[in-house]
Amino acid sequence: MAQLVDETAQTKSLVLEVPGWAGHRAGQHVDVRLTAEDGYQAQRSYSIASAPEDNYIVLTVERLADGEVSPYLTDVLGPGDPLELRGPIGGYFVWEEELGGPLLLIGGGSGVVPLRSMLRHYFAVGSSIPLRVLYSARSLADVIYREELTRMTEDSGLDIRFTLTRQQPAGWRGYARRIDVPLLAEVAFPSDEDPLVYICGPTAFVEAAAQGLVGLGHDPSKIRTERFGPTGG
Amino acid sequence: MEALDGNAIAGALLAAFGHEMTMASGTCATCGQTNMLAALRVYLRAPGAVARCPVCGEVALVLIEARGVVCVDVRGLAALDYESP
């Protein structure tokens, strides 16, 4: 590990230097394996937050209080410490420009992590595919990559909509509720534009977003989903 | 218990098959529906991972990684197809 970056109160980014890394595709993940002195092993999957073009591999890890792996990664592991990885892994929840668009990225909580890799890749390749992002978080303080997303909006015109489901700052002009069909109808590209959609988040969030879009007439085969749950530890 | 999806066992599938498997098609031996392995409903809070058919809910495959051994039970799949690398 080269560096540890605080993202929010609950999440940190692990910046990793990986010798012999063969490169990855935006949206892929890695398995992190921890081995105790007695040989006990625990393994978890984490999405890669960095783009293929970046110099480092970045994993953004949400600290789960009763987790077996995440507290070690966020609180114990320090710069210079080694980490055992397997990957890159996955071919389904992957975005590449030749897949076309328009492109709609929907993230709930730390489900934004693989979408951040896709966003960085999108801008790195100078894509002109129409793009929209919908990001659901509990509060503004829980928004991961807030500065970077704001910069993408200001510098590159990124069309990103936020919904803050539990707590909103005074004067908040974004959405303030869980994702539902009317919200999706406002944010999503119309189904007749046949957008490609990536949804990542907790299982219930992914189900709500995917079923909502199918109900609005979106082609289920153009909706790619990745669910994670409290078992992520 | 909340289910994840086949993406959660992509690493173990890679170890077992030596190939990216989330885009592979699995035909359920119970209901006959074909789905990408990424779409399976995956439960990790078992001794190993249990992946169920998203259509009928029957067990499609069970995968255990322990002490350097990968064990895969695919009795719940009638067919498993993927593009050769």
Side-chain angles (χ1 to χ4, degrees), chain A residues 84-104:
Chain A
E84 188 183 349
L85 302 180
R86 174 169 67 187
I89 295 161
Y92 168 73
F93 200 80
V94 163
W95 180 75
E96 278 159 346
E97 215 208 5
E98 59 261 33
L99 293 172
L103 177 62
L104 173 62

Side-chain angles (χ1 to χ4, degrees), chain A:
Chain A
M1 179 161 85
Q3 203 191 340
L4 191 63
V5 179
D6 285 321
E7 298 286 359
T8 67
Q10 293 305 320
T11 55
K12 290 185 182 177
S13 285
L14 284 64
V15 182
L16 309 173
E17 224 170 305
V18 187
W21 182 255
H24 68 279
R25 298 155 72 198
Q28 284 188 304
H29 54 94
V30 294
D31 286 352
V32 173
R33 180 183 287 165
L34 303 180
T35 307
E37 276 173 24
D38 64 1
Y40 174 75
Q41 291 189 327
Q43 186 174 290
R44 298 291 184 273
S45 283
Y46 292 102
S47 290
I48 301 172
S50 48
E53 293 78 10
D54 292 333
N55 292 322
Y56 293 93
I57 301 303
V58 178
L59 307 181
T60 302
V61 176
E62 181 176 16
R63 186 188 191 288
L64 302 173
D66 58 351
E68 205 175 36
V69 173
S70 62
Y72 176 83
L73 297 178
T74 56
D75 302 354
V76 181
L77 198 75
D81 289 341
L83 194 60
E84 188 183 349
L85 302 180
R86 174 169 67 187
I89 295 161
Y92 168 73
F93 200 80
V94 163
W95 180 75
E96 278 159 346
E97 215 208 5
E98 59 261 33
L99 293 172
L103 177 62
L104 173 62
L105 307 178
I106 302 179
S110 54
V112 74
V113 175
L115 308 184
R116 190 248 198 177
S117 175
M118 294 177 189
L119 283 171
R120 290 180 71 89
H121 180 55
Y122 174 93
F123 288 114
V125 300
S127 179
S128 56
I129 288 173
L131 166 69
R132 269 181 214 165
V133 183
L134 173 60
Y135 182 1
S136 171
R138 278 175 297 205
S139 72
L140 202 55
D142 290 307
V143 171
I144 309 172
Y145 317 126
R146 196 168 131 203
E147 264 178 47
E148 182 175 357
L149 295 172
T150 305
R151 204 163 54 239
M152 285 175 176
T153 305
E154 287 168 357
D155 298 352
S156 314
L158 173 68
D159 182 353
I160 182 166
R161 324 280 176 91
F162 291 92
T163 181
L164 302 179
T165 55
R166 285 199 196 160
Q167 197 187 346
Q168 305 81 29
W172 174 248
R173 292 168 66 182
Y175 295 103
R177 61 184 198 267
R178 284 169 181 257
I179 282 185
D180 54 25
V181 172
L183 195 160
L184 289 167
E186 281 181 35
V187 174
F189 294 100
S191 58
D192 58 14
E193 291 181 24
D194 203 22
L196 181 59
V197 188
Y198 291 79
I199 308 171
C200 185
T203 301
F205 173 88
V206 170
E207 301 291 343
Q211 285 166 14
L213 288 173
V214 171
L216 288 168
H218 288 249
D219 177 358
S221 72
K222 299 288 290 282
I223 302 174
R224 299 190 183 202
T225 52
E226 183 161 88
R227 296 165 180 82
F228 62 79
T231 47

